[in-house]
């Protein structure tokens, strides 16, 4: 025989010739060789090979294929053989085949011979010699028998039987090791065997016995728990007699030959990172953490978990570490800190296996004793944590599944998790207690600066300090970087630093020169976790000029459907790059917005950014037009063209939803009305949609500001139509806005004169008509009633020539009111009835209410209080349906006056209360105070919208 040929089957099937490993191919050839090796010299029939290769689904010429594989195997072992030569290794025996090699050439045969010698020595009472032979036998194994073969159910028992031989030898070796007091040398072999066969109860029982004998009771308990969990989860069974016996022996209930173990005190880990000696403030948050520790053990079946979440750079880790140092004595069994790297580009996420390794090492488990399977590691960790009072800080966790495997079942221990994620799953499923970390107060920052820089450097610089905090967005990390600059450059005053921050247009000032103190880097750890679509939305949202936004706005920016956008917004909120400060409303932190804008400038093309901005502006115009018309159905607004692709305007169902939309988006609308140089966008067209809302809410100052800014933008763009419209609407803010400081009629005249000139030059009769209507109102306020009547009549002529029904109605209400004031009651009512019919025909119930109020005023002026009351009640109903709070307030104030004059004082008081409340709702406290001192006397004026 050629001693250079060797075979192995105690693991993957392998073969060597002259020291060079051969590759039996195709795979069927490896199966044939494996079965020959397992038979170890006994013949294998062709049909047995066929069952191994194909099971019951054998090809028609199976026997011929088997013979062909035998030929291939022979030539693999002896390359020089001819086609029909038998060779010396694979012999024909009867109808079958056997492998004819020296015993030393096959690891299975060597194993069996060593095992026989070991059993013989044990029988002769020589455990040391037995242990040597049995250990040598076990060292031959590298995995399960023929581990790389798919043996199938028919032939599997042949190979499993060899695995059982290993288990029997392992058992004998354990007994020998226990008898001669040498468990340590055998332990790695038994652990390896148990890991390779994780459901073999006999092997695991012997591992437990060895661990106990070696004095590693904790590892033994963990090993038992691990196999128990696997049996339950994978097979649905409980441990059998052998495992139970090993458990009893582990617990000391059954005596057995063991090595006296040296009792070693369990290690007390103290692994907290150093705290910051300048830490200050956060008193309430520290107290909340202490309250968690005070509740330890309240529920013996649950672990106390606290979740500290917040924006990146909010100081979550600093807070928890500070509290841990202050409360260290409350955890006598140890304090463990583990950075899970959930939001950290410096290294990959710490896996469950890696995290458990760190925790087990912290608890004193040697590297060699850590089980290879994650379930076994979890079982060992929970066993070692049982009945301890420890603090476990899991810092920088990505999500719930990152944390759950690391939570011990220890009612006496406290687990604190820090994350940018709110960990709602832990809160709902494990009962974790949330602590959302917000910005420190300004007073806390002042104290921190004083402690760090010294009181002398703060004196006289308080305003600069407050500005620094504001320009840092109140973010602790950013403030800390600036404070460090102040420490490093003691000659710089706080005012100089504040001025530099004011002039900075990027995050460069917050470069902390190392990753954890660099604001950009800390933000990037969240950004790089985003999907591509979420990252794009994060960047493009910065095109919006407003402070906050809703789902529909974000969808327009992205050019996506609302369901798709909602999923992306949730992703941004989870990573704390956006804040959902109330349901459905989102906002950036100031510095995060700056970071996103920097990214967009570098990564998004100009067309992408302009497209996003155009979609946003179009969405606001489309929805603002619908909302403005809902508040005042016949208001004069520019009609938008069809929406741009990707824009789906919001549905405005009624005045209440219109008012709510304006309230939500007002800041964004005002900011967007100042945007210039965007293709196809005329700022004044958006600005004018807001005017009905301003009037209803009596928001005169904002009306003035928005109209003025849109006027400036139109003038800069040379848009004469927009200039004319905004001149008129700026005047209307004085005439109709109920300004607390009173109307500035001189300003109103200036704007109306300019608007009239421009509309006349443009040949716009409807524009001129609107201006003349406003002039009539202005003249009325100045007591120039005859001139006011002529202005209204001129407006009516212009509106009728242009076919402008709403304009005609506006002119008629002025004409009718002036006729009534002059005592021409018949003409006044005729004009008012005509205008009322127009208002109702165009569906403007609020304007129709103004006609009712005007007729009530005429009747009240004549002393016909009964008729006046009827008209005021009609106006009340119409204004209520229209939802115009300003008109409701004015009507109820005048209605109360007439009721009082009629001697109906209780009803008058009720009307005045409604007026006071409406003015208060509008923020018009001056008008509310005026109503509190009301006396008798009617009011004939009716405020109509623009």
């Amino acid at each position: 025989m050629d001693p250079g040929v060797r075979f192995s089957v105690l693991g993957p099937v392998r073969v060597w010739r002259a020291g060079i490993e051969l590759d039996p191919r195709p795979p069927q050839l490896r199966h044939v060789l494996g079965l020959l090796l397992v038979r170890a010299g006994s013949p294998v029939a062709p049909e047995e090979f066929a069952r191994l290769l194909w099971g019951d689904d054998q090809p028609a010429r199976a026997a011929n294929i088997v013979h062909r594989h035998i030929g291939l195997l022979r030539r693999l072992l002896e390359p020089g053989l001819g086609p029909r030569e038998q060779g010396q290794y694979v012999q024909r025996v009867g109808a079958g085949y056997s492998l004819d090699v020296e015993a030393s050439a096959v690891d299975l045969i060597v194993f069996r011979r060593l095992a026989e010698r070991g059993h013989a020595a044990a029988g002769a009472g020589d455990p040391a010699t037995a242990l040597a032979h049995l250990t040598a036998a076990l060292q031959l194994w590298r995995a399960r028998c023929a581990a790389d073969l798919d043996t199938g159910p028919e032939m599997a028992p042949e190979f499993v039987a060899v695995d059982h031989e290993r288990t029997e030898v392992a058992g004998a070796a354990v007994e020998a090791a226990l008898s001669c007091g040498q468990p340590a040398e055998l332990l790695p072999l038994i652990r390896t065997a148990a890991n390779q066969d994780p459901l073999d109860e006999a092997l695991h029982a012997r591992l437990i016995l060895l661990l106990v004998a070696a004095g590693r009771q904790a590892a033994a308990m963990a090993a038992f728990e691990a196999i128990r969990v696997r049996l339950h989860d994978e097979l649905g069974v409980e441990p059998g007699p052998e495992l139970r016996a090993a458990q009893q022996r582990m617990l000391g209930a059954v005596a057995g030959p063991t090595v006296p173990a040296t009792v070693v005190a369990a290690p007390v880990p103290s692994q907290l990172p150093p705290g910051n000696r300048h830490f200050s403030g956060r008193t309430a948050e520290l107290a909340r953490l202490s309250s968690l520790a005070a509740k330890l053990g309240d529920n013996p079946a649950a672990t106390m978990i606290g979740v500290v979440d917040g924006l990146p750079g909010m100081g979550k880790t600093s807070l928890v570490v500070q509290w841990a140092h202050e409360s260290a004595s409350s955890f006598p069994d140890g304090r463990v800190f583990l950075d899970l790297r959930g939001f950290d580009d410096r290294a990959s996420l710490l896996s469950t296996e890696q995290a458990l390794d760190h925790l087990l090492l912290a608890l004193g488990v040697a590297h060699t004793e850590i089980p290879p399977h994650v379930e076994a590691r979890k079982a060992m960790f929970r066993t070692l944590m049982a009945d301890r009072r420890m603090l476990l800080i899991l810092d920088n966790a990505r999500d719930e599944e990152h944390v759950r495997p690391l939570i011990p079942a220890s009612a006496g221990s406290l687990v604190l998790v820090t994350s940018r994620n709110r960990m709602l799953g832990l809160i709902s499923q494990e009962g974790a207690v949330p602590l959302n970390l917000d910005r420190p107060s300004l007073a806390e920052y002042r104290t921190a600066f004083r402690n760090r820089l010294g009181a002398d450097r703060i004196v006289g610089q308080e305003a600069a300090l407050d500005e620094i905090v504001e320009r840092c967005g109140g973010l602790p990390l950013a403030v800390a970087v600036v404070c460090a600059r102040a420490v490093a450059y003691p000659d710089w005053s706080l005012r100089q630093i504040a001025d530099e921050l004011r002039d900075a247009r990027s995050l460069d000032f917050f470069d902390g020169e190392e990753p954890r103190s660099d604001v950009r880097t800390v933000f990037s750890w969240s950004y790089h976790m985003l999907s591509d679509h979420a990252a794009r939305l994060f960047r493009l949202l910065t095109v919006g000029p407003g402070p906050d936004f809703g789902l529909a706005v974000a969808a327009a920016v992205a050019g996506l459907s609302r369901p798709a956008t909602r999923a992306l917004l949730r992703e941004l909120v989870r990573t704390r790059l956006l804040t959902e400060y109330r349901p459905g409303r989102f906002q950036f932190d100031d510095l995060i917005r700056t970071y996103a804008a920097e990214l967009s400038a570098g990564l998004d093309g100009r067309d992408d950014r302009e497209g996003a901005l155009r979609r946003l502006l179009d969405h606001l115009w489309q929805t603002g037009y619908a909302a403005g018309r809902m508040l005042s159905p016949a208001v004069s607004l520019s009609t938008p063209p069809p929406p741009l692709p990707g824009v789906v305007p919001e549905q405005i169902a009624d005045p209440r939803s219109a008012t709510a939309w304006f309230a939500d988006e007002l800041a964004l609308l005002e900011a967007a009305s100042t945007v210039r140089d965007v293709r196809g966008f005329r700022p004044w067209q958006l600005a004018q949609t807001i005017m009905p809302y301003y009037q209803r809410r009596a928001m005169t100052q904002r009306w003035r500001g928005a109209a003025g800014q849109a006027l400036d933008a139109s003038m800069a763009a040379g848009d004469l139509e927009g200039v004319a419209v905004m001149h008129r609407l700026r005047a209307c803010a004085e005439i109709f806005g109920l300004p607390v400081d009173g109307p500035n009629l001189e300003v109103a005249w200036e704007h109306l004169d300019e608007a009239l000139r421009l509309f006349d030059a443009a040949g716009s009769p409807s524009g001129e008509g609107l201006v003349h209507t406003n002039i009539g109102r202005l003249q009325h306020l100045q007591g120039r009633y005859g001139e006011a009547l002529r202005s209204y009549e001129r407006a009516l002529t212009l509106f009728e020539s242009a076919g402008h029904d709403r304009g005609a109605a506006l002119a008629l209400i002025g004409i009718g009111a002036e006729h009534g004031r002059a005592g021409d009651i018949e003409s006044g009512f005729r004009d008012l009835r005509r205008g009322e019919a127009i208002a109702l025909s165009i569906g403007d119930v609020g304007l129709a209410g103004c006609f009712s109020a005007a007729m009530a005023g005429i009747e009240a002026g004549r002393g016909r209080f009964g008729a006046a009351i009827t008209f005021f009640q009609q106006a009340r109903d119409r204004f209520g349906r229209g939802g115009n709070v300003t008109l409701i307030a004015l009507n109820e104030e005048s209605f109360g006056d007439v009721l009082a004059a009629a001697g109906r004082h209780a009803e008058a008081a009720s009307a005045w209360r409604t007026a006071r409340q409406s003015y208060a709702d509008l923020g018009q406290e001056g008008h509310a105070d005026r109503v509190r001192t009301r006396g008798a006397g009617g009011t004939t004026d009716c405020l109509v919208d623009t």
Side-chain angles (χ1 to χ4, degrees), residues 313 317 337 339-341 343-344 346 395-396 420 477 481 512-519 521-522 525:
T317 302
F337 179 95
D339 181 1
L340 298 178
R341 304 199 299 253
F343 296 85
D344 194 336
R346 295 174 305 146
D395 186 51
N396 199 11
R420 301 178 188 187
L477 174 61
V481 171
E513 300 182 2
E514 65 95 16
R516 283 193 173 276
S517 63
D518 180 78
V519 171
T521 301
V522 170
W525 295 338

Side-chain angles (χ1 to χ4, degrees), residues 700-701 704 734 738-744:
T700 309
Q701 287 302 113
R704 286 168 170 167
E734 302 300 330
L738 290 183
V740 175
D741 55 351
N744 188 328

Side-chain angles (χ1 to χ4, degrees), residues 613-697:
L613 180 56
R614 289 185 66 219
R615 288 192 298 272
L616 167 64
L617 297 173
D618 188 54
H619 168 80
L620 293 175
W621 186 19
Q622 301 281 347
T623 309
Y625 175 81
R629 291 294 301 272
M630 182 60 71
L631 294 183
S632 184
V635 68
S636 179
L637 299 177
S638 297
T639 304
L644 294 173
V647 174
V648 180
E650 295 188 58
Q651 297 299 309
I652 305 298
D654 50 41
R656 184 180 299 274
S657 62
T659 300
W661 184 80
F662 276 120
D664 280 342
E665 305 297 355
L666 185 59
L668 177 57
L669 286 163
E670 290 173 336
S673 296
T674 68
V675 172
R676 304 182 185 185
D677 302 324
V678 176
R679 179 166 47 91
F681 177 66
R682 304 168 77 183
W684 65 270
Q685 292 178 323
L686 178 60
Q688 68 174 346
T689 68
I690 320 173
M691 303 305 160
Y693 177 73
Y694 285 143
Q695 183 174 359
R696 281 177 175 247
R697 305 302 298 176

Side-chain angles (χ1 to χ4, degrees), residues 30-220:
R30 191 179 296 271
H31 283 69
V32 168
L33 176 58
L35 188 52
L36 287 170
L37 290 171
V38 166
R39 290 289 174 89
S42 299
V44 182
E47 57 268 23
E48 291 178 301
F49 284 120
R51 283 202 303 273
L52 175 64
L53 294 174
W54 301 291
D56 292 332
D57 189 19
Q58 299 179 16
R61 303 183 60 185
N64 289 340
I65 298 174
V66 168
H67 293 315
R68 190 178 308 123
H69 284 313
I70 292 294
L72 289 173
L73 179 59
R74 285 170 170 165
R75 284 188 290 279
L76 176 70
L77 299 176
E78 299 176 78
L81 284 181
R84 295 188 176 276
E85 290 185 76
Q86 180 171 279
Q88 60 178 321
Y89 299 122
V90 182
Q91 301 293 321
R92 184 69 180 249
V93 180
Y97 300 92
S98 70
L99 194 63
D100 186 10
V101 296
E102 292 183 358
S104 60
V106 180
D107 59 358
L108 175 57
I109 298 176
V110 175
F111 165 77
R112 286 171 173 167
R113 292 191 174 182
L114 287 169
E116 289 173 3
R117 294 171 190 165
H119 291 311
D126 186 357
T129 302
L131 178 60
H133 290 308
L134 296 172
T135 299
L138 292 171
Q139 287 173 338
L140 295 172
W141 286 77
R142 288 164 291 108
R144 291 182 296 102
C145 178
D148 57 342
L149 302 189
D150 180 9
T151 57
E154 292 83 1
M155 301 302 294
E158 294 255 8
F159 299 88
V160 172
V162 179
D163 289 328
H164 287 324
E165 293 181 46
R166 181 194 201 183
T167 301
E168 292 171 3
V169 170
V174 169
E175 291 302 322
L178 296 178
S179 297
C180 65
Q182 299 178 23
E185 294 180 10
L186 184 63
L187 188 55
L189 286 173
I190 302 301
R191 189 192 296 279
T192 299
N195 290 338
Q196 291 172 353
D197 202 342
L199 295 175
D200 189 316
E201 293 190 52
L203 264 178
H204 285 269
R206 282 151 179 79
L207 172 61
I208 292 167
L209 292 175
L210 271 186
L211 289 168
V212 172
R216 299 174 180 176
Q217 284 83 357

Side-chain angles (χ1 to χ4, degrees), residues 537-622:
L537 177 60
F538 173 67
R539 300 190 305 268
L540 290 181
L541 281 171
T542 60
V543 304
D548 67 342
F549 52 89
L551 170 62
V553 166
V557 169
L560 300 173
S561 70
R562 288 175 194 167
T565 305
R566 183 182 290 109
L568 299 180
L569 289 172
R570 286 174 180 162
E571 188 175 343
L572 292 173
V573 169
R574 272 198 308 274
T575 53
R576 301 310 287 263
L577 291 172
L578 274 185
T579 300
E580 188 173 11
Y581 69 94
R582 67 178 172 84
R585 299 299 300 178
F586 305 88
Q587 64 185 11
F588 278 109
D589 174 87
D590 290 344
L591 296 184
I592 293 178
R593 182 188 181 93
T594 301
Y595 171 68
E598 288 183 359
L599 288 175
S600 186
L603 297 176
D604 298 316
R606 179 177 178 179
D607 290 346
D608 289 338
R609 288 182 57 79
E610 182 176 305
L613 180 56
R614 289 185 66 219
R615 288 192 298 272
L616 167 64
L617 297 173
D618 188 54
H619 168 80
L620 293 175
W621 186 19
Q622 301 281 347

Side-chain angles (χ1 to χ4, degrees), residues 828-838 851 855 871 874:
F829 268 93
R830 182 189 64 243
D831 296 328
L832 292 173
R833 289 294 187 188
R834 179 185 168 197
E836 178 187 41
I838 295 173
F851 284 100
M855 287 185 277
F871 282 121
Q874 185 181 62

